Structures are given as C-alpha cells and as structure tokens.
Amino acid sequence: MTYFEPPQPRGNAWLGGALGVLTGVLVLGLAWFALGGPASARPAPSPSASAPSATPRPSSTKGSASPSATPSATPSATPSADVPGIVRELPARSWVTVLDSLPQQGTAPEAAVARASDLSKAGFTASAVDTNGLAGLNPGFFAIAVTGLGSQADAYTVCDRMGIPRGARCYPREIQGAR
C-alpha cells in the first residue's frame, strides 16, 4: 500500500504579497522620475535681461521696487509691456539664473516685480522676465531671475553665492533669442 504525503509548503503568501507591492511601488517611482519627477509639476521658464558678461553682475542696490508682495490672484489690467521693471528682451546666448517662476495668468506684473525685489540679495538683482518673447523658454510665465550672465558656470555661481541650493529653486537657463 502506498502512503500519500501532502506536498511541503513552498513559501509564505504574506511575504509574496508584500514583495509584489514593494516591486510595484519601485517601478512606479522609477517611472515617475524618468518622466520628469518633481520638475514636471512646475514648468521651468527661461528668464533673461541685460547684456551678457563673463562673470555674475552683482548689483550695488536692490532696486526701487514697490513694497514686498506675493503674486496676486487677480491679473492686472496693465499689460506687462507697460509695467516698469518687466524685462521683455535679452541677448541671445546669454545666461540667467532662475530663482522662481510665476504663471502670468493670475499674477499681476507688479507682483512679479515685487517678488524679484524680494529675491534680490547677496549683491545680485533679480528681475521679472516676461518669457513670452524669448525662444527656448516656457511661455506664459514671469521668470524671476538674475540676468546678464556669460556662462552656465556663472549662473550656478549665483545660486552658490545667494545660498540657494542648486536644483528646482535655483537653476541656469540659456537665452536663445527672440521668438
């Protein structure tokens, strides 16, 4: 007579399920970073301003912008072209250091100029740049940026001297010219 012996258990269902969930989370995380990660949540406009130079151009003053303000929830009745302090043209092949970007829809140009004044420090003057007329930059934003830089290295130097970590809050952009 033959004796039947049941098969030995091969694993633990709970452990298999946990490993499956962990693998799924890992795959989703890698896909998220491969598709842009945190940078894709906010468009990165390319700002610009004055003539390029070989080194960062520190400013002796912060400018005479209006009192500190944050972006307005309602757009201004004044087009950005009519607001003093909005930069609309920059030389091609110059570099800027972007410190912030504000969507033009819902942000008054005056608020963008005030934000630029707030971010000016360490001898650098930030400007509010209208990105609509600058090729290679994401249109529809006011880029708050230090302008007139001669190279990517100069643009990164601004981040370092201002004490802002390089990355999503402080990054270089090359101005490619007018649209």
Side-chain angles (χ1 to χ4, degrees):
M1 176 171 179
T2 15
Y3 178 77
F4 177 75
E5 191 173 310
Q8 294 291 329
R10 293 189 170 194
N12 186 334
W14 180 87
L15 180 61
L19 288 175
V21 169
L22 182 61
T23 302
V25 169
L26 181 62
V27 168
L28 287 175
L30 290 173
W32 184 63
F33 280 109
L35 296 174
S40 66
R42 179 176 175 194
S46 297
S48 47
S50 58
S53 66
T55 59
R57 185 179 50 138
S59 170
S60 58
T61 64
K62 279 184 137 186
S64 57
S66 58
S68 171
T70 56
S72 169
T74 58
S76 169
T78 309
S80 66
D82 299 335
V83 175
I86 299 289
V87 175
R88 297 180 53 86
E89 295 179 4
L90 291 170
R93 311 303 294 168
S94 66
W95 286 81
V96 299
T97 301
V98 179
L99 305 173
D100 198 359
S101 66
L102 309 171
Q104 288 182 359
Q105 186 171 1
T107 302
E110 298 85 357
V113 171
R115 179 71 174 142
S117 178
D118 290 346
L119 290 178
S120 295
K121 65 179 180 178
F124 294 101
T125 300
S127 301
V129 179
D130 181 345
T131 63
N132 287 331
L134 300 171
L137 304 180
N138 293 332
F141 290 89
F142 291 115
I144 310 303
V146 174
T147 62
L149 306 173
S151 69
Q152 183 180 33
D154 292 342
Y156 276 128
T157 298
V158 172
C159 297
D160 298 339
R161 289 190 183 165
M162 292 182 93
I164 302 171
R166 297 177 183 189
R169 289 196 53 233
C170 193
Y171 54 91
R173 285 289 186 258
E174 184 176 21
I175 304 305
Q176 299 171 1
R179 287 191 201 275

